[in-house]
Amino acid sequence: MTTPASAILLAECPDQAGLIAKVTDFVANNNGNIIDLEQHVDSDDKHFFMRVEWQLDNFKIPREQLQQVFAEQVATPLKMNWQIAFSDVKPRLAIFVSQHGHCLFDILARYQSGEWHVEIPLIISNHRDYESLANNAGIPFYHLPINAANKQQQEKAQLDLLAEHKIDSIVLARYMQILSKDFIEHYPHQIINIHHSFLPAFPGAKPYHSAHERGVKIIGATSHYVTTELDAGPIIEQDIVRIRHNDNIEDLKRKGQDNEKIVLSRAIRHHLQHEILVYKNRCIVFV
Amino acid sequence: MTTPASAILLAECPDQAGLIAKVTDFVANNNGNIIDLEQHVDSDDKHFFMRVEWQLDNFKIPREQLQQVFAEQVATPLKMNWQIAFSDVKPRLAIFVSQHGHCLFDILARYQSGEWHVEIPLIISNHRDYESLANNAGIPFYHLPINAANKQQQEKAQLDLLAEHKIDSIVLARYMQILSKDFIEHYPHQIINIHHSFLPAFPGAKPYHSAHERGVKIIGATSHYVTTELDAGPIIEQDIVRIRHNDNIEDLKRKGQDNEKIVLSRAIRHHLQHEILVYKNRCIVFV
Amino acid sequence: MTTPASAILLAECPDQAGLIAKVTDFVANNNGNIIDLEQHVDSDDKHFFMRVEWQLDNFKIPREQLQQVFAEQVATPLKMNWQIAFSDVKPRLAIFVSQHGHCLFDILARYQSGEWHVEIPLIISNHRDYESLANNAGIPFYHLPINAANKQQQEKAQLDLLAEHKIDSIVLARYMQILSKDFIEHYPHQIINIHHSFLPAFPGAKPYHSAHERGVKIIGATSHYVTTELDAGPIIEQDIVRIRHNDNIEDLKRKGQDNEKIVLSRAIRHHLQHEILVYKNRCIVFV
Amino acid sequence: MTTPASAILLAECPDQAGLIAKVTDFVANNNGNIIDLEQHVDSDDKHFFMRVEWQLDNFKIPREQLQQVFAEQVATPLKMNWQIAFSDVKPRLAIFVSQHGHCLFDILARYQSGEWHVEIPLIISNHRDYESLANNAGIPFYHLPINAANKQQQEKAQLDLLAEHKIDSIVLARYMQILSKDFIEHYPHQIINIHHSFLPAFPGAKPYHSAHERGVKIIGATSHYVTTELDAGPIIEQDIVRIRHNDNIEDLKRKGQDNEKIVLSRAIRHHLQHEILVYKNRCIVFV
């Protein structure tokens, strides 16, 4: 894309009068052209949420000073939590995978077709199943098998690889190892998982077995940020598939996997487009 | 409808060879014309499920002997659990409601337009909110307010009314009282509830508040048979509605209520059409 | 609701820099508190669309002068098409119905439960089927049968009734008469129809028959503003229902009718909440 | 799979009494164990449709005589249209693709993971974009560019390749050439296409542009068998995606492509599992 670069502000603060005008004035007075603005007030929490994107081509404040100026003039007086990203900076994503490949295949198809504005510098796996797939896509593949004895040491190796490749965010594309608290805290709200159920229903292992046993009529998939509490992080995206009375567990897995890959891909896209604000363990997704 | 009467068999038993042929032979050899047959084998449980409907107009076995003959010739040798219903017998349904009327309005609209093959001889409520609605529809309305002190006595009054009106099944159309174990056992798999969440997520009270707090992207509704374990009975039907980041709890309720009434009406229809088999706390719904 | 009154601006114009700031400044400089703002730019058409809602309790411009001041200071210089509505003014809606009552039942249930901010002063029908339903709801019912000979005269009678009851908008709740060009031009973008197919597929009569014959796997419903070209007006809302291979035309009608009433009710709500902008025969629905 | 081989009968004929019993007796009397049976009567057309699958391990009639015996004993007397397939025979599929790769990527992911019981011996394209993708998957790739002058000759080359590789069925995975009548008649109801709209809405080229211009709220995808009338063949599967007022044509394409690949993959699966009966240009899909 040859679209001119834009700045993307995500911000939240307690609600008060005039918030939108203060932000849009800041942009307009500095010659920025707003191309997208979404906001809303959570009327239950009396809290304000906003995403604004403006073009930088005639913007008066240089990019390297923007954060500081915005903080002084707008954010600090209003007690905002906020971040500003730039549309021409490609996020760098690592993919973790184990032995179910449907999400990885889907991610690589999108990557190779240029659907996302992203770099994927490496794939990490505790198995060798997808080594040649990674090779064919031209992405370095690191095999780091994990067991109870070597887990701490292998996580250290993973973190070194991530640092070396300057990784911003991690996608767990059906990675079947539980990450340690220490690992998770290196990437707060930057690790995206796909869980194969409609959370909070059926957390933990084998959700399709649980769904079959409970006799639900619909199965789901949930993509969320990983936090230290298992399967309880803020939800980015969910969707469902209807099932029939004659579907067995294998059918549930098959139908569910199509849903998983679509849900995960939407969550990744929201993350890459800076459309997500996390507040009180909830994701506000501006779409 | 002037459709000729038909018999509807619902049956389940451990799987074995030749089950379908034994049943279809029984029907064909007695001059019945099968108009619908659904069956499946749960390959995980090795269990067989079947629904067969055949026309009775030239059927050789008289209706009043059918159950006994079928038991002797087919069901008992095959160790089937089974039931036979007749399409020209109108099930008699009681509606219980409290103060949310959206499901009741929807049920009465269907009843008055003749959508269902059913009689609704009475409506029971612990409030007076829908008394005139019931009167307008020409259905007797009984106001039985319930508190901790009078619960046992009022349930007795309800059971008497149900017996007097020869009620087959009960629909809890957002009835906000928990039925006693004793009451439930009078109507095993004959009490249909609508719960305003995607069970097993968010059982109990205030599921829309819980959904908002957890930040889910989809809300659901679940219709199930009432068992003595709260919100844990066999699920008949579920469906969902997508919500947006700017929906507050009131929006969730409003969107959810449209879903609730549709889900409940589908469950009632399946029940009235004898399309549901309960097995191991799961509903096999033949559709 | 005791929510304070708010003003709702809907506006569209060719895109240019600074549009949002100009509008939000107008509001903020006059002491209005914006409670909701949605905007977007159609990047294919280079056109700007906006909906802003602000509270009026401390707003400096008196309500009766607001339209003129906004025109002078904002809209005219920017060549906007626009309208301003007030949240405390109840729109007045007439319902037209023929012999299918599912949408009417649903509308009356919402009306009686207070779900919508609306007055419904009359129901008009070319049949008597729902006269007692209207009476029970306490809404005047006018029976105006229509045939080729009296059509012009009866439309005149309808228009007189609508004028007399100060009607703002009309809902065709499965009204099976084609309105004349003259009638339609009295209520531009104020007549809401429900068509029982996924337009532009299956326009005209008997869409469920056509859907069955074509063997589609999904049936739809479309709510749109009525224009002089049949079934071709701007679409407000659509939704679908999956069907099965064993559904006959009656099943399609039954499943479709549940969809119709939900789709129509969503369209009515968008209309009543002033969430719809019509541009080039398309509805921009701000949700 | 080590599942024992089974025979799959698809049959249709005018409805009459005893049809099911005649078929199930034929199977049971020859020692076959029915593992799946679906049937229904189209009450509008008075026509009977059936799919039966039975295990062959103790079946008395040898596989090579089955078709003849079934014809004599059952099908011919009942005037059935029918076919019998065997579950252990892998269908051989050719993939045609042009320059949109999302469906091809998805098909190859499923092929490589063993999700389908199928052989894919070749990929044919009028462009070279996916040559290396085919190579990586180990599937022969044939580049046959097509223009007005060479179309007849290239179709001849395609047909030769298909014959040489003993191809049963063809998938057009967004293949942007219109096949000739002659080509289509070589593979009646064996060519599966994916069209990027909810047919019959928006046939022909650029359906996403048409959808945007019409302002629909939902976009669809349709997989159908190719017949000589463009985009009018029997529909196998359809699904939809909701769009928002701020989606431009690029967004429609992106959201639509995820839908296309899922819809096409479901259609392919139904075809491979012998779940589809074509009758009067409609597909009866037994699921």
Side-chain angles (χ1 to χ4, degrees), chain C residues 113-148:
Chain C
S113 71
E115 181 181 318
W116 290 334
H117 187 66
V118 71
E119 287 293 333
I120 301 183
L122 81 166
I123 294 172
I124 289 176
S125 182
N126 54 337
H127 294 274
R128 290 202 177 274
D129 303 49
Y130 299 109
E131 186 161 14
S132 67
L133 184 67
N135 290 342
N136 285 337
I139 302 175
F141 178 91
Y142 296 91
H143 178 226
L144 294 169
I146 295 200
N147 55 43

Side-chain angles (χ1 to χ4, degrees), chain A residues 40 43-44 198 212 214 216-218 232-233 235-238 242 244-245 248-249 282-283 285 287, chain B residues 40 43-44 198 212 214 216-218 232-233 235-238 242 244-245 248-249 282-283 285 287:
Chain A
H40 91 275
S43 55
D44 301 306
F198 183 78
H212 185 257
R214 183 65 186 88
V216 290
K217 304 311 176 199
I218 282 170
I235 294 170
I236 305 171
E237 172 66 347
Q238 300 184 295
R242 277 195 91 79
R244 296 200 62 231
H245 64 271
N248 60 25
I249 293 173
R282 300 201 292 263
C283 288
V285 184
V287 282
Chain B
H40 91 274
S43 55
D44 301 305
F198 183 79
H212 185 257
R214 183 63 187 91
V216 291
K217 304 310 177 198
I218 283 169
I235 294 171
I236 305 170
E237 172 65 346
Q238 300 183 293
R242 277 194 91 79
R244 297 200 62 231
H245 64 270
N248 59 27
I249 293 173
R282 300 200 293 264
C283 288
V285 185
V287 281

Side-chain angles (χ1 to χ4, degrees), chain B residues 26-33 55 58-60:
Chain B
F26 171 82
V27 176
N29 294 343
N30 290 293
N31 253 9
N33 182 31
Q55 288 171 332
N58 295 311
F59 198 59
K60 287 185 196 161

Side-chain angles (χ1 to χ4, degrees), chain B:
Chain B
M1 289 191 296
T2 55
T3 322
S6 57
I8 299 154
L9 167 71
L10 288 165
E12 44 96 350
C13 58
D15 192 31
Q16 55 178 281
L19 283 170
I20 300 172
K22 277 168 194 156
V23 174
T24 57
D25 275 359
F26 171 82
V27 176
N29 294 343
N30 290 293
N31 253 9
N33 182 31
I34 292 179
I35 52 174
D36 199 51
L37 182 154
E38 303 261 349
Q39 61 70 233
H40 91 274
V41 174
D42 185 318
S43 55
D44 301 305
D45 281 350
K46 309 287 178 212
H47 207 82
F48 175 81
F49 303 90
M50 190 180 208
R51 181 186 188 277
V52 193
E53 181 168 1
W54 66 93
Q55 288 171 332
L56 290 173
D57 33 354
N58 295 311
F59 198 59
K60 287 185 196 161
I61 307 173
R63 189 188 286 220
E64 58 280 8
Q65 297 171 22
L66 175 53
Q67 314 256 1
Q68 190 194 329
V69 177
F70 180 77
E72 287 170 10
Q73 295 185 6
V74 183
T76 308
L78 295 171
K79 297 189 172 38
M80 277 181 172
N81 291 311
W82 62 282
Q83 58 185 93
I84 291 177
F86 299 102
S87 69
D88 55 357
V89 176
K90 271 197 187 180
R92 297 173 65 82
L93 211 59
I95 313 293
F96 282 41
V97 68
S98 292
Q99 297 184 282
H100 291 290
H102 52 286
C103 289
L104 179 63
F105 270 108
D106 190 67
I107 287 168
L108 294 183
R110 295 172 200 274
Y111 185 50
Q112 290 177 70
S113 70
E115 181 181 319
W116 290 335
H117 187 64
V118 72
E119 287 295 332
I120 302 184
L122 81 165
I123 294 172
I124 289 176
S125 182
N126 53 335
H127 295 275
R128 290 202 176 274
D129 304 47
Y130 300 109
E131 186 161 15
S132 65
L133 183 68
N135 290 343
N136 286 338
I139 302 175
F141 178 91
Y142 296 92
H143 178 226
L144 293 170
I146 295 202
N147 54 44
N150 74 358
K151 178 160 179 166
Q152 202 174 348
Q153 165 197 341
Q154 294 293 63
E155 282 203 346
K156 175 72 174 58
Q158 291 172 346
L159 286 170
D160 288 347
L161 281 167
L162 299 174
E164 178 192 325
H165 285 88
K166 296 187 172 52
I167 292 302
D168 299 302
S169 308
I170 299 163
V171 171
L172 307 183
R174 297 297 302 272
Y175 180 67
M176 306 309 274
Q177 291 289 324
I178 295 176
L179 302 174
S180 73
K181 184 168 180 295
D182 175 67
F183 187 102
I184 293 167
E185 287 174 349
H186 276 77
Y187 289 92
H189 298 158
Q190 295 292 341
I191 307 173
I192 301 172
N193 186 40
I194 179 72
H195 182 78
H196 41 313
S197 86
F198 183 79
L199 290 173
F202 311 127
K206 295 196 172 282
Y208 291 132
H209 288 77
S210 305
H212 185 257
E213 189 179 324
R214 183 63 187 91
V216 291
K217 304 310 177 198
I218 283 169
I219 53 173
T222 302
S223 187
H224 63 95
Y225 286 126
V226 175
T227 56
T228 51
E229 188 183 346
L230 185 67
D231 296 334
I235 294 171
I236 305 170
E237 172 65 346
Q238 300 183 293
D239 213 336
I240 58 95
V241 187
R242 277 194 91 79
I243 54 173
R244 297 200 62 231
H245 64 270
N246 53 5
D247 284 327
N248 59 27
I249 293 173
E250 284 308 304
D251 294 318
L252 266 54
K253 284 185 188 169
R254 177 176 47 79
K255 293 186 174 181
Q257 290 183 353
D258 276 359
N259 193 35
E260 291 166 35
K261 73 188 184 194
I262 300 294
V263 166
L264 178 58
S265 77
R266 290 190 202 139
I268 293 171
R269 184 181 174 87
H270 292 317
H271 182 82
L272 297 175
Q273 308 263 105
H274 310 289
E275 296 174 341
I276 310 174
L277 246 174
V278 179
Y279 172 73
K280 283 190 178 179
N281 205 44
R282 300 200 293 264
C283 288
I284 315 300
V285 185
F286 290 100
V287 281

Side-chain angles (χ1 to χ4, degrees), chain C residues 70-257:
Chain C
F70 181 76
E72 287 171 10
Q73 295 185 5
V74 183
T76 309
L78 295 171
K79 298 190 170 35
M80 276 181 172
N81 291 311
W82 62 283
Q83 57 185 94
I84 291 178
F86 298 102
S87 69
D88 54 357
V89 176
K90 271 197 187 180
R92 294 173 68 80
L93 212 61
I95 312 292
F96 283 41
V97 68
S98 293
Q99 296 185 284
H100 290 290
H102 51 286
C103 290
L104 179 63
F105 269 108
D106 191 68
I107 288 168
L108 294 183
R110 293 171 201 275
Y111 186 50
Q112 290 175 74
S113 71
E115 181 181 318
W116 290 334
H117 187 66
V118 71
E119 287 293 333
I120 301 183
L122 81 166
I123 294 172
I124 289 176
S125 182
N126 54 337
H127 294 274
R128 290 202 177 274
D129 303 49
Y130 299 109
E131 186 161 14
S132 67
L133 184 67
N135 290 342
N136 285 337
I139 302 175
F141 178 91
Y142 296 91
H143 178 226
L144 294 169
I146 295 200
N147 55 43
N150 72 0
K151 177 160 180 167
Q152 202 176 347
Q153 163 197 343
Q154 293 293 64
E155 282 203 347
K156 174 74 173 58
Q158 291 173 346
L159 286 170
D160 289 347
L161 281 168
L162 298 174
E164 177 191 327
H165 286 88
K166 298 188 171 51
I167 291 302
D168 299 301
S169 309
I170 298 162
V171 170
L172 308 182
R174 297 295 302 273
Y175 180 67
M176 305 310 273
Q177 292 288 324
I178 295 175
L179 302 175
S180 72
K181 185 169 178 294
D182 175 67
F183 187 102
I184 293 167
E185 288 173 349
H186 276 75
Y187 290 91
H189 297 158
Q190 294 293 341
I191 307 173
I192 300 172
N193 186 40
I194 179 73
H195 182 79
H196 41 315
S197 86
F198 183 79
L199 291 173
F202 311 127
K206 294 196 174 283
Y208 292 133
H209 289 76
S210 307
H212 185 256
E213 189 178 324
R214 183 64 187 90
V216 291
K217 304 310 176 199
I218 282 168
I219 54 172
T222 302
S223 186
H224 62 94
Y225 286 126
V226 174
T227 57
T228 52
E229 189 183 344
L230 186 65
D231 295 336
I235 295 169
I236 306 171
E237 173 64 347
Q238 301 184 294
D239 212 336
I240 58 95
V241 187
R242 279 195 90 80
I243 53 174
R244 296 200 63 231
H245 65 270
N246 52 5
D247 284 327
N248 60 25
I249 293 173
E250 284 308 304
D251 294 318
L252 267 53
K253 284 184 190 172
R254 178 174 47 78
K255 292 185 175 184
Q257 289 183 353

Side-chain angles (χ1 to χ4, degrees), chain A residues 85-136:
Chain A
F86 298 103
S87 69
D88 56 356
V89 176
K90 271 196 187 180
R92 296 173 66 80
L93 212 60
I95 313 292
F96 282 42
V97 68
S98 292
Q99 295 186 284
H100 291 289
H102 52 286
C103 289
L104 179 63
F105 269 107
D106 190 67
I107 288 168
L108 294 182
R110 294 171 200 273
Y111 186 50
Q112 289 176 73
S113 69
E115 182 181 319
W116 290 334
H117 186 66
V118 72
E119 288 293 332
I120 302 183
L122 81 166
I123 294 172
I124 290 177
S125 182
N126 54 334
H127 293 275
R128 289 201 176 277
D129 303 48
Y130 299 108
E131 185 160 16
S132 66
L133 182 68
N135 291 341
N136 285 338

